[in-house]
Amino acid sequence: MTEKIVLAYSGGLDTSVACKWLQETHGYEVHCLTVDLGNLPDIEGARLRGDEAGAVEVELADAKEDFLNYFVFPALQANALYQGEYPLATALGRPLIAKLLVDKARAVGATAVAHGCTGKGNDQVRLDIAISTLAPDLKIIGTARENEMSRDAALAYAAEHGITVRQTAEAPYSTDENLWGRSVECGELEDPWAEPPADVWEWTRNIEDTPADAVTLEVTFEQGVPVAIDDERLDPVTLVQRLSDLGGEHGVGRIDMVEDRVVGIKSREVYEAPAAVILIAAHKQLEQLTLSKAQHRMKARVADEYADLVYGGHWFSAHHRDLAAYVQSSQQDVNGTVRIQLHRGNLRTLGKQADHSLYSKELATYGDDDLFDQKAAQGFIKLHGLAVQVQAHRQLLQDKRDPLHLAAPPREDD
Ligand code: ARG
């Protein structure tokens, strides 16, 4: 009996060729799965090319809402930014794609899954780890890793096998898009000294093309999850899409970084992630009102750890479960609204309020209604500095090298 394989299928040149190639070289019956995370694939074109490439089916899975609810919003609650900058759009999508590939493999009784990720990137790491964690019995074929076809070879292969490829100019970059952001790499970006060419930007305007007038908006969160813009409750997809459009219009959300890939390569990457940038900024502002100092400190550490594990493809891990439990628990009182202004590529927060804010005007004020006991400060400072002072007198001040310059400098006439 012919064995079945489920192919992660975008409908472009590479995965159409992969579809045919899996039949020809491995003898598989190919089931194509296209996962929509908000990247609006040309599904009619994809279906057509899938048919031409001999797929027994091309299934489109609309995973936009699940992507936001179960992958993006938990990462937002964590304020997850890889190496402090990248909101992880591509990385967050991979475990969901892996899960849907496995579900599909089970549904059709496939013995293998395939994807077209290259052998130098992070995406193969994420997909392979997730798939083999969820389904150790499934064979994984990385078509690009196995056949290393050049673009010309792929075009020739497509022509030879009657696969219609739109005659577009060669894409100058490798890109990946979903609701949380757009990732761009390769081509001219490979020189970190070179400014990103104008054509890398598709979602965000250049500063000179942004509106002269600022836009102000209010984002409301419940337990750290955004639920409304300007008091209008929105479903997750609409909310994120709206912020993405608005941010892009005002030139907000561009990220240009050199990052450390899992496979040990430093790589120059450019991202457009207006919604992510706005929402993480707003969420952090709200946490300033609602988290204690200790929670804040711990959460920042967790954020780094969380971003690292998402980036590295350890989504389906106990470490993730544990960190996510901490993050979830920390969000119980992160309820409130943040007022934000977007203007000429800048994002400013103008104000914030929370249902159970820890901010107390009576304690902070220098006005007449001050409730803070300033005399109590003296006793507090004595104890807060006590250990430092004991150690300074017994050790630091005895140290002839005086590395902290504690002793008065000798005077000229000494
Ligand atoms: N460097 C980013 C990441 O690892 C983006 C990867 C983009 N993927 C792509 N197929 N172009 O998450």
Side-chain angles (χ1 to χ4, degrees):
M1 205 182 90
T2 317
E3 292 200 22
K4 299 175 183 173
I5 193 166
V6 176
L7 170 65
Y9 182 68
S10 71
L13 170 66
D14 293 335
T15 48
S16 306
V17 163
C19 177
K20 192 75 192 179
W21 182 84
L22 285 165
Q23 299 160 55
E24 291 221 310
T25 58
H26 291 266
Y28 281 116
E29 171 184 313
V30 183
H31 296 251
C32 290
L33 178 68
T34 303
V35 179
D36 183 4
L37 301 178
N39 41 336
L40 308 171
D42 164 22
I43 188 60
E44 284 322 309
R47 284 227 164 83
L48 171 73
R49 276 183 292 282
D51 283 346
E52 291 171 344
V56 299
E57 61 168 330
V58 177
E59 186 191 326
L60 174 71
D62 178 353
K64 294 195 287 289
E65 191 140 340
D66 283 348
F67 178 50
L68 293 179
N69 285 333
Y70 303 117
F71 294 80
V72 168
F73 288 165
L76 166 63
Q77 290 173 308
N79 300 319
L81 292 171
Y82 182 62
Q83 298 192 316
E85 295 199 54
Y86 165 42
L88 296 159
T90 298
L92 286 163
R94 298 310 177 201
L96 176 53
I97 292 172
K99 155 130 180 64
L100 294 173
L101 287 171
V102 168
D103 288 352
K104 179 80 184 163
R106 296 304 189 218
V108 302
T111 54
V113 293
H115 60 69
C117 305
T118 76
K120 292 180 81 168
N122 296 318
D123 291 327
Q124 53 162 354
V125 177
R126 298 166 183 149
L127 286 179
D128 286 12
I129 293 177
I131 292 163
S132 44
T133 302
L134 296 172
D137 56 301
L138 288 180
K139 185 170 176 193
I140 303 171
I141 297 187
T143 56
R145 279 189 308 227
E146 279 193 25
N147 67 28
E148 290 196 48
M149 253 187 230
S150 68
R151 182 180 160 85
D152 285 343
L155 282 170
Y157 189 94
E160 191 185 320
H161 292 88
I163 303 169
T164 321
V165 180
R166 273 173 302 162
Q167 276 310 326
T168 50
E170 178 170 2
Y173 313 104
S174 164
T175 59
D176 180 67
E177 290 181 12
N178 63 43
L179 278 162
W180 202 228
R182 178 167 177 270
S183 306
V184 192
E185 54 191 26
C186 304
E188 288 184 56
L189 293 171
E190 286 171 1
D191 176 4
W193 176 247
E195 181 181 342
D199 65 350
V200 307
W201 309 113
E202 289 192 3
W203 290 11
T204 55
R205 292 195 199 177
N206 292 325
I207 302 299
E208 56 273 24
D209 302 325
T210 56
D213 293 331
V215 64
T216 301
L217 62 143
E218 294 179 1
V219 183
T220 299
F221 292 84
E222 282 173 11
Q223 307 206 337
V225 171
V227 294
I229 301 174
D230 292 333
D231 280 333
E232 182 188 355
R233 279 191 89 88
L234 298 168
D235 68 89
V237 175
T238 309
L239 184 143
V240 168
Q241 191 61 56
R242 194 174 290 182
L243 290 179
S244 186
D245 294 344
L246 202 58
E249 183 186 347
H250 288 271
V252 167
R254 290 186 178 181
I255 298 158
D256 180 353
M257 69 189 287
V258 170
E259 73 192 31
D260 290 288
R261 284 198 190 159
V262 186
V263 294
I265 301 172
K266 276 197 188 291
S267 155
R268 203 279 187 88
E269 311 266 336
V270 164
Y271 301 103
E272 295 181 282
V277 165
I278 294 169
L279 285 170
I280 291 173
H283 180 252
K284 282 183 172 175
Q285 291 281 323
L286 189 56
E287 286 189 331
Q288 290 176 4
L289 291 180
T290 50
L291 299 186
S292 69
K293 176 176 169 174
Q295 286 175 302
H296 225 268
R297 188 180 54 221
M298 185 65 190
K299 250 204 107 234
R301 292 184 194 158
V302 169
D304 274 346
E305 192 67 25
Y306 193 101
D308 234 66
L309 87 83
V310 170
Y311 189 85
H314 288 185
W315 183 268
F316 297 109
S317 66
H319 188 40
H320 178 204
R321 176 203 60 197
D322 298 347
L323 294 182
Y326 177 80
V327 171
Q328 277 310 308
S329 174
S330 75
Q331 298 299 291
Q332 292 177 48
D333 288 297
V334 185
N335 305 312
T337 299
V338 181
R339 195 160 75 258
I340 282 178
Q341 188 174 75
L342 309 176
H343 188 222
R344 297 276 195 217
N346 289 311
L347 180 160
R348 287 205 300 150
T349 33
L350 304 180
K352 51 210 169 236
Q353 60 182 19
D355 300 353
H356 299 119
S357 176
L358 301 175
Y359 179 85
S360 162
K361 176 113 186 320
E362 294 74 30
L363 291 177
T365 184
Y366 285 92
D368 290 339
D369 43 355
D370 184 5
L371 292 182
F372 186 82
D373 178 1
Q374 298 205 27
K375 290 196 192 63
Q378 288 179 43
F380 163 75
I381 292 165
K382 252 189 195 149
L383 300 186
H384 188 60
L386 185 60
V388 166
Q389 282 155 3
V390 169
Q391 191 166 29
H393 286 284
R394 302 220 168 141
Q395 297 175 351
L396 284 181
L397 282 164
Q398 309 306 323
D399 182 348
K400 296 284 171 296
R401 293 163 302 165
D402 193 15
L404 294 180
H405 311 294
L406 284 165
R411 289 172 26 184
E412 296 278 305
D413 48 349
D414 275 352

